[in-house]
Amino acid sequence: MTPTLILTLVVIAVGALVLYRSVRIVPQATADIIERFGRYHRTLNAGLSLVVPFVDQVRNRIDLREQVVPFAPQPVITAENLVVSIDTVIYYQVTDTKAATYEVANFLTAIEQLTVTTLRNIIGGMDLERTLTSREEINTELRGVLDEATGRWGIRVNRVELKAVDPPDSIKEAMEKQMRADRDKRASILTAEGQKQSTILTAEGERTSAVLRARGQAEAAVLSAEADAKAQAARARGQAQAIATVFKAIHEGNPDERLLAYQYLQTLPRIAEGNSNKLWIVPSEMGKALEGLGGFFGAAKGDNNRAPAPVPAAHPEPPAPLAAEPTDLDGPPRPRDEDDYRPYTP
């Protein structure tokens, strides 16, 4: 190998090295801090950039995306002197790469320590119950303090979240007992309200049922009364028609008092039917009726010895009334007195 070839190869290698050191490719959402002779020179943004080799040096590459950093649980004392453990999560983003590089040695450690001290100051003025129920208030106040302090570091704190707030075990047990008692109380109240509502609904149902039942009974009674009235009216009309028919037949047959007395004697055995009949009341006209009946049988016997009577005409004249003493059967009714009824002994 000749010296010329060796020199050429050395020149090519030095040129390649110079070219490699002169070209910088920065990824998206990142930035490079360039120092020249140990001093800040410029910031290289995403893309292809040229630097002076062996003069410009890359101090740091910073990620410009929003970062999420969880911090370890920190013991914090409340206003009641109770120690609680709080986990926090910080969402931050670098807005000024130069300030984040030269204003603070390690901005992540600074943010963590600032978060712990600020959190202790905030929680120290609250009791346990407010600490557990005021997370949004704590987050807003903590974010305001961190954003103000980290602004000069070129960092913007977007959000601060309390991931967990763990009170002591004894407090947890007391809280669980209290929650259990509250749940039992609410369950008892709900049970009592349910029973009350059930009783009310049952009473309303029974009342409605009683009203409907009474209304139905009333309507049934009205319909039954109307049916009874119609039946009684029909029976009364039937009886009236029967009485009118009998009365018409009797008057058309022109009966005398002896026939009526005979019918009266036939009715007496029916009156005696029944074991409860112990006493009969026989009207005073009974004797007269029997006398007429005896005369009727005597006349009938005498007639048997005589020749038969001539056949009456088609329209015979009604017989003249007997010249006997007026009775109830052939005259207007007269008022009764005590002598008209006397005991009859068969």
Side-chain angles (χ1 to χ4, degrees):
M1 183 178 294
T2 61
T4 304
L5 182 58
I6 294 174
L7 181 60
T8 303
L9 293 175
V10 170
V11 171
I12 293 174
V14 172
L17 179 61
V18 170
L19 183 62
Y20 175 75
R21 297 295 298 272
S22 300
V23 177
R24 300 292 300 178
I25 299 176
V26 182
Q28 182 67 31
T30 58
D32 289 348
I33 302 298
I34 303 299
E35 292 181 349
R36 177 172 292 180
F37 298 112
R39 296 183 60 182
Y40 173 76
H41 177 62
R42 62 173 178 160
T43 300
L44 299 181
N45 296 320
L48 179 65
S49 301
L50 297 177
V51 297
V52 178
F54 305 108
V55 176
D56 296 338
Q57 301 289 334
V58 178
R59 167 66 184 272
N60 190 16
R61 175 168 287 182
I62 298 176
D63 194 343
L64 300 179
R65 295 173 297 179
E66 185 176 4
Q67 304 293 319
V68 181
V69 179
F71 295 147
Q74 299 294 328
V76 181
I77 301 176
T78 64
E80 301 169 339
N81 295 326
L82 295 176
V83 180
V84 296
S85 179
I86 300 179
D87 297 349
T88 56
V89 179
I90 302 297
Y91 297 82
Y92 72 93
Q93 186 177 10
V94 177
T95 58
D96 189 351
T97 57
K98 179 181 178 182
T101 303
Y102 296 103
E103 295 294 335
V104 60
N106 189 339
F107 62 85
L108 187 58
T109 303
I111 292 175
E112 181 180 2
Q113 296 302 320
L114 182 60
T115 301
V116 171
T117 56
T118 305
L119 188 61
R120 288 178 178 175
N121 292 332
I122 296 174
I123 300 300
M126 297 181 178
D127 55 7
L128 179 61
E129 184 176 359
R130 186 180 175 187
T131 302
L132 296 175
T133 58
S134 303
R135 292 194 176 189
E136 188 65 27
E137 180 183 353
I138 296 173
N139 294 337
T140 302
E141 189 174 353
L142 184 59
R143 177 179 177 275
V145 175
L146 291 177
D147 196 18
E148 182 181 358
T150 59
R152 59 187 181 88
W153 298 341
I155 298 173
R156 182 178 69 246
V157 178
N158 297 326
R159 295 179 62 187
V160 180
E161 296 291 340
L162 299 183
K163 187 169 62 173
V165 179
D166 297 328
D169 295 338
S170 59
I171 301 299
K172 288 182 179 179
E173 293 178 359
M175 293 173 61
E176 290 177 358
K177 292 180 181 179
Q178 182 179 1
M179 294 174 60
R180 191 179 302 111
D182 291 340
R183 292 193 184 96
D184 294 340
K185 178 181 178 181
R186 289 196 297 268
S188 300
I189 293 174
L190 292 176
T191 302
E193 290 179 354
Q195 293 178 354
K196 176 182 177 182
Q197 191 69 19
S198 176
T199 304
I200 293 174
L201 293 177
T202 302
E204 291 180 354
E206 292 178 354
R207 183 185 65 180
T208 304
S209 176
V211 171
L212 294 177
R213 190 182 301 109
R215 188 177 300 172
Q217 293 177 355
E219 293 178 356
V222 171
L223 295 177
S224 178
E226 292 178 355
D228 292 341
K230 292 180 180 179
Q232 291 179 2
R235 287 195 297 269
R237 287 193 298 269
Q239 293 176 358
Q241 293 177 0
I243 293 173
T245 303
V246 172
F247 183 79
K248 181 179 180 182
I250 291 174
H251 282 273
E252 289 179 354
N254 194 15
D256 55 2
E257 61 180 3
R258 291 175 296 180
L259 179 59
L260 295 178
Y262 179 73
Q263 292 293 332
Y264 193 85
L265 289 177
Q266 288 183 345
T267 307
L268 285 179
R270 299 180 183 177
I271 299 176
E273 293 179 356
N275 298 327
S276 60
N277 297 328
K278 304 298 182 180
L279 182 65
W280 290 358
I281 304 298
V282 179
S284 59
E285 289 81 0
M286 185 64 184
K288 297 179 180 180
L290 293 176
E291 292 177 359
L293 186 59
F296 170 75
F297 283 112
K301 185 177 180 180
D303 293 339
N304 290 333
N305 297 326
R306 295 195 301 269
V311 178
H315 297 283
E317 293 296 331
L322 299 176
E325 183 181 354
T327 62
D328 292 341
L329 297 178
D330 51 5
R334 61 181 179 81
R336 304 289 183 176
D337 53 13
E338 295 181 356
D339 294 337
D340 292 339
Y341 298 94
R342 57 180 179 267
Y344 171 76
T345 303

